[in-house]
Amino acid sequence: MKKKDLITLVMGAAGGLLFALGMCMALLPEWGVVVPGIAVGAAGMLILLAMVLIRRRMDGKPAISIRRRTVGITLLGVSGAVILGVGMCMSMVWSMMLPGIVVGSVGIAALLGLIPAVKGLKG
């Protein structure tokens, strides 16, 4: 395993874990720790952002390259995740099972669309 892969693995796991724990802390009222949850989630997001910047630096690339394609792919990923989350909320929280499944499926389709958007289609 290359050094950059190990660093990406460790930072990705730590950042993802902190972000997920922070989301649970902030969104589960039974726990009663909304403000610390936001702080933990923000720390996870910062670690994940630092991971991207460090990885790009280790690959010899510029820190962030903003192009229309990059912005479009990012918007597709964010919108797909939000749509999937809304579908899950409709099914599990709002007792709207069938519409939730339909909306969640649209979100999954959007996220699956990321694969050809990032990798491209090759014959």
Side-chain angles (χ1 to χ4, degrees), residues 50-93:
M51 175 198 68
V52 171
L53 297 175
I54 290 170
R55 175 64 186 231
R56 290 189 62 84
R57 182 168 208 122
M58 291 179 91
D59 285 338
K61 297 178 181 176
I64 296 175
S65 60
I66 298 177
R67 299 183 317 222
R68 283 188 204 160
R69 181 174 186 268
T70 305
V71 172
I73 289 171
T74 303
L75 288 175
L76 178 62
V78 169
S79 63
V82 168
I83 293 169
L84 176 60
V86 168
M88 290 177 64
C89 285
M90 289 172 73
S91 296
M92 298 182 343
V93 178

Side-chain angles (χ1 to χ4, degrees), residues 22 24-29 31-41:
C24 288
M25 290 169 66
L27 296 175
L28 291 175
W31 291 10
V33 285
V34 173
V35 175
I38 293 171
V40 171

Side-chain angles (χ1 to χ4, degrees), residues 1-12 51 54-59:
M1 179 178 277
K2 294 181 182 176
K3 182 176 161 183
K4 64 183 176 182
D5 294 331
L6 178 64
I7 291 172
T8 302
L9 175 73
V10 171
M11 291 183 75
M51 175 198 68
I54 290 170
R55 175 64 186 231
R56 290 189 62 84
R57 182 168 208 122
M58 291 179 91
D59 285 338

Side-chain angles (χ1 to χ4, degrees), residues 84 86-105:
L84 176 60
V86 168
M88 290 177 64
C89 285
M90 289 172 73
S91 296
M92 298 182 343
V93 178
W94 301 331
S95 299
M96 300 170 64
M97 185 61 73
L98 189 59
I101 291 172
V102 171
V103 171
S105 298

